[in-house]
Amino acid sequence: MTVQHLQIGTAETLFYTMPLFVSLFVIIEKMRLGERTDWVLVGSVLCGFAGICMVLQPSCGSHELPYAVLAVLSAILAAGSAMFLKRLGAAGEPIFRTVFWFSAASLVISAVAEAFLSRASMKDLFTDPMLFAVGICTMGAQLAQTLGWGRGRPLLCACLQFSAILFAVFFGWLFFDEKLESFATVGIVIIIAAELAAAVIGLRSRARRGSSA
């Protein structure tokens, strides 16, 4: 709904606030447990989001505000689900079982929504090759996210979420001959630098934990 009523750049930027909310949840949890927050990783997430804003250059009118709020709400829910995946991974929940129940719930909700909101028949939806391809890609993405969030560091995973825009820009250049403005190019550089910094910090932290063990 938000993509239909907002400019695509604005909708995507608002959804990319998800890593910011993950960072907020991590900070709150660390404070509750009395543990130290890795503020350098938090800074990497903030820099990555700044790069996203430079690439997508969002804008929002007053009449679009309700849909912008819905987009931010979607980002908050996505951040909550990511933290839930982290807890499931820590509890040793099998990845395929997690994805199965997620997919089953999504299918039921989608079927109910289709019955009330869509004009297409269920048969048309299930036999559409494009939708089938989207479903396969979504399944693969969910498996990767479940594995990453379940076994990785939340702040590192949050920062790496921004890499999706890098692939979008690359595919836009490759298939649609899209060109980047200089301002957006600087944003791409900032995103790459933030993700490299987060990855290096994560590897060093893992090495320190391994040596201490």
Side-chain angles (χ1 to χ4, degrees):
M1 180 183 293
T2 56
V3 175
Q4 292 176 337
H5 294 87
L6 293 173
Q7 296 181 22
I8 186 65
T10 302
E12 287 297 307
T13 301
L14 292 175
F15 183 73
Y16 276 117
T17 59
M18 177 263 202
L20 302 183
F21 290 110
V22 169
S23 300
L24 178 61
F25 293 157
V26 170
I27 293 171
I28 293 174
E29 184 175 9
K30 293 290 186 181
M31 292 177 62
R32 182 177 62 84
L33 297 176
E35 299 178 355
R36 184 180 65 87
T37 299
D38 195 332
W39 292 105
V40 179
L41 273 178
V42 174
S44 297
V45 174
L46 294 175
C47 288
F49 182 72
I52 290 291
C53 292
M54 294 177 68
V55 174
L56 297 178
Q57 302 177 26
S59 62
C60 184
S62 58
H63 64 287
E64 298 172 324
L65 186 59
Y67 302 103
V69 172
L70 287 176
V72 173
L73 178 60
S74 174
I76 295 173
L77 294 175
S81 66
M83 299 302 292
F84 188 62
L85 289 176
K86 177 62 180 176
R87 290 180 179 270
L88 288 175
E93 186 71 14
I95 295 172
F96 285 99
R97 184 161 62 190
T98 300
V99 174
F100 170 78
W101 287 113
F102 172 85
S103 302
S106 299
L107 179 62
V108 171
I109 295 172
S110 299
V112 173
E114 187 275 338
F116 290 98
L117 302 176
S118 178
R119 297 180 179 178
S121 67
M122 188 68 71
K123 178 182 177 181
D124 293 336
L125 293 176
F126 275 101
T127 56
D128 189 324
M130 292 298 294
L131 287 179
F132 181 78
V134 169
I136 294 297
C137 292
T138 301
M139 181 70 70
Q142 189 58 39
L143 284 168
Q145 287 196 42
T146 303
L147 178 62
W149 285 104
R151 300 184 182 180
R153 300 183 64 184
L155 287 176
L156 176 58
C157 291
C159 192
L160 293 178
Q161 288 285 111
F162 298 130
S163 61
I165 196 66
L166 303 180
F167 291 103
V169 169
F170 173 73
F171 289 139
W173 167 79
L174 183 64
F175 296 111
F176 303 104
D177 197 30
E178 295 181 354
K179 306 296 183 183
L180 276 179
E181 300 176 358
S182 57
F183 188 71
T185 303
V186 174
I188 290 292
V189 173
I190 291 175
I191 294 172
I192 294 174
E195 295 192 338
L196 287 176
V200 169
I201 294 168
L203 289 174
R204 287 180 177 176
S205 177
R206 183 176 182 179
R208 284 197 299 268
R209 290 199 302 269
S211 60
S212 63

